[in-house]
Amino acid sequence: TLLSSLGLGTTLTFASSHWLLAWMGLEINTLAIIPLMAQHHHPRAVEATTKYFLTQATAAAMILFASTTNAWITGVWDMNNVSSPVASTMIIAALALKIGLAPMHFWMPEVLQGLDLLTGLVLSTWQKLAPLALIIQTAQAIDPLLLTALGLMSTLIGGGGGLNQTQWRKILAYSSIAHMGWMIIVLQYAPQLTLLALLTYIFMTSAAFLTGKASSATKIGTLTTVWSKSPILTTTTALVLLSLGGLPPLTGFVPKWLILQELAKQSLPLVATVMALAALLSLYFYLRLCYAMTLTISPNTTTSTTPWRVQTTQASFPLALATVMALGLLPMT
């Protein structure tokens, strides 16, 4: 029931051209994922769920208020013409809070850290779709300077915040913030590149989360001991991390290449330079993970439960598919 409601909420938002229906979809979506987040009854999971609920409810209330304001001023509930600047600014602020764009990103690492890896995967891929669809539909009404500022801040904070982390999920949360920034920066010039960046981001993040799930690793310290159990998975994970950092000839290079090209075409060399340097920050912590996983033989004993060499019960197909997609989609350009 919960998973179908999760799908239904997002689909409802996709299909709507009326603000009330879009808001309802977002609300169904939030209410469906909350029990999924709290199902383990771990204190941290409950805390993360509470934080998530509060941010999402605030954002939904803001969207409702902004769309009502817009309808009050213009007389239409249609999404395509948000003509009031107050309403459009409030809407982008609420949607940025929903997907965790900086400076509304503070809940994201906290919440992701409290969840298990599969729910975290749903949170950082599927939960981004509905708000991003609304952002794409209303992008023309939003102040371009505001979008650029959101995008730049997100890439810089997503790059800088992850530098000092040791937790796998928090690193992925900051990585998510940085990728969202890349999507937002190019939105007003080429929305199809936003969708392309979203697609590649989903593949790479799925591969990263499912790797953590397969090796039941939530810390860098645990990741250092994976090489002895599954060497091939270690190799592909290193490549997936480099792909997330955006190195050619891997998939992660595609959106960065095309977005930087588009920014240069729009004669925004300064923005493009800052974005490229922010990508360098992100690359640093992916390289740190790579180094810990594949270039060091871990001398320490790990404090987590030892996974025995028995036949695993988890499906390896999603991991294999996501890894292949995260490594081999460069010809798509």
Side-chain angles (χ1 to χ4, degrees):
T1 308
L2 293 173
L3 283 173
S4 57
S5 300
L6 196 66
L8 177 76
T10 305
T11 319
L12 202 59
T13 308
F14 281 170
S16 62
S17 58
H18 188 287
W19 274 115
L20 265 182
L21 199 60
W23 167 79
M24 206 180 299
L26 290 170
E27 204 60 18
I28 291 172
N29 199 352
T30 306
L31 289 179
I33 199 169
I34 280 182
L36 291 174
M37 291 166 77
Q39 66 184 344
H40 292 293
H41 298 302
H42 192 280
R44 285 201 188 154
V46 175
E47 183 191 344
T49 311
T50 314
K51 287 177 180 170
Y52 183 75
F53 171 72
L54 289 173
T55 52
Q56 299 298 306
T58 311
M62 274 175 74
I63 289 171
L64 197 56
F65 181 53
S67 51
T68 314
T69 310
N70 184 55
W72 182 263
I73 295 171
T74 60
V76 280
W77 282 89
D78 210 38
M79 265 182 216
N80 303 329
N81 44 6
V82 186
S83 47
S84 141
V86 179
S88 69
T89 310
M90 276 181 60
I91 282 169
I92 187 67
L95 291 169
L97 177 61
K98 265 203 178 297
I99 61 171
L101 280 169
M104 286 77 104
H105 66 284
F106 291 98
W107 59 271
M108 180 91 190
E110 285 2 7
V111 168
L112 212 53
Q113 182 55 33
L115 306 177
D116 70 309
L117 288 162
L118 282 182
T119 322
L121 172 64
V122 172
L123 183 72
S124 45
T125 54
W126 183 255
Q127 291 299 95
K128 302 273 191 256
L129 297 179
L132 210 58
L134 293 183
I135 291 180
I136 290 173
Q137 284 183 68
T138 51
Q140 301 316 314
I142 299 162
D143 183 17
L145 189 64
L146 183 62
L147 278 178
T148 311
L150 279 173
L152 280 174
M153 275 193 73
S154 298
T155 41
L156 285 167
I157 288 177
L163 292 182
N164 215 12
Q165 301 295 337
T166 57
Q167 300 285 342
W168 183 227
R169 289 165 291 191
K170 274 197 177 163
I171 285 182
L172 286 170
Y174 280 110
S175 137
S176 167
I177 295 166
H179 279 278
M180 288 292 143
W182 279 92
M183 288 173 216
I184 296 298
I185 199 88
V186 76
L187 178 60
Q188 49 200 333
Y189 309 114
Q192 63 274 25
L193 285 186
T194 302
L195 289 173
L196 176 76
L198 178 68
L199 187 72
T200 51
Y201 160 76
I202 285 178
F203 282 137
M204 297 183 296
T205 308
S206 307
F209 269 106
L210 291 168
T211 303
K213 176 85 172 58
S215 51
S216 57
T218 56
K219 293 193 292 292
I220 295 183
T222 322
L223 282 171
T224 51
T225 58
V226 173
W227 62 271
S228 59
K229 295 187 292 287
S230 42
I232 297 180
L233 182 65
T234 312
T235 315
T236 54
T237 309
L239 288 172
V240 165
L241 285 166
L242 292 177
S243 181
L244 269 164
L247 291 187
L250 304 164
T251 307
F253 182 54
V254 177
K256 289 193 169 41
W257 176 20
L258 294 175
I259 287 172
L260 287 176
Q261 187 181 344
E262 181 63 35
L263 289 174
K265 217 187 292 180
Q266 300 284 350
S267 63
L268 295 163
L270 192 63
V271 175
T273 311
V274 175
M275 294 296 283
L277 291 174
L280 207 59
L281 285 171
S282 297
L283 183 62
Y284 175 78
F285 59 80
Y286 298 129
L287 275 176
R288 223 179 86 218
L289 277 169
C290 272
Y291 179 75
M293 277 191 74
T294 58
L295 296 177
T296 53
I297 291 184
S298 168
N300 59 342
T301 51
T302 154
T303 51
S304 59
T305 33
T306 312
W308 294 99
R309 289 175 180 269
V310 289
Q311 194 61 41
T312 174
T313 52
Q314 23 189 16
S316 56
F317 178 70
L319 172 58
L321 181 70
T323 303
V324 169
M325 291 300 192
L327 299 184
L329 283 187
L330 187 72
M332 201 169 48
T333 49

